[in-house]
Amino acid sequence: PTLRYDVKTCWQPLNSQRMLLWARRFGKAEAYMQALGRKHFEEAKSASHTWNVVDAAEEAGLDRGEAETFIKTKELEPQVWESYGKTIHEKGIHSIPYFV
């Protein structure tokens, strides 16, 4: 498959990260990330768009209605922001990579 790097995304795809943590509760994190990665990099369906996040969750075997209900909440948002901050400090990240 051809990888697409021209897919628009936001700086922090918060909902896709929240859904990953939610999927992990059900043992579906790997399947979710495979589905989301394929959608983003092969199908040019941004991981920043909520409908693609929910589609990937359903494809991973999660209940679509429950995923839609979850994504409308703020649940797991603090954990995602904490993870972002922790990673930046632990890895000594001072800038965002830029590829030409």
Side-chain angles (χ1 to χ4, degrees), residues 23-61:
R24 185 172 65 182
R25 292 178 178 172
F26 306 99
K28 300 287 187 177
E30 186 71 26
Y32 166 73
M33 285 307 299
Q34 286 178 343
L36 188 64
R38 191 191 71 262
K39 287 180 177 306
H40 186 85
F41 291 109
E42 295 177 26
E43 299 174 12
K45 295 179 179 178
S46 178
S48 297
H49 297 303
T50 300
W51 58 87
N52 293 328
V53 169
V54 173
D55 286 348
E58 182 179 36
E59 187 176 317

Side-chain angles (χ1 to χ4, degrees), residues 33-91:
M33 285 307 299
Q34 286 178 343
L36 188 64
R38 191 191 71 262
K39 287 180 177 306
H40 186 85
F41 291 109
E42 295 177 26
E43 299 174 12
K45 295 179 179 178
S46 178
S48 297
H49 297 303
T50 300
W51 58 87
N52 293 328
V53 169
V54 173
D55 286 348
E58 182 179 36
E59 187 176 317
L62 294 161
D63 181 88
R64 183 178 189 87
E66 290 178 17
E68 288 173 343
T69 298
F70 164 76
I71 210 69
K72 292 175 185 174
T73 71
K74 297 289 185 189
E75 186 179 349
L76 298 174
E77 193 171 293
Q79 291 88 332
V80 171
W81 284 118
E82 180 183 345
S83 174
Y84 283 165
K86 187 176 177 182
T87 300
I88 288 168
H89 293 295
E90 284 180 359
K91 305 296 181 191

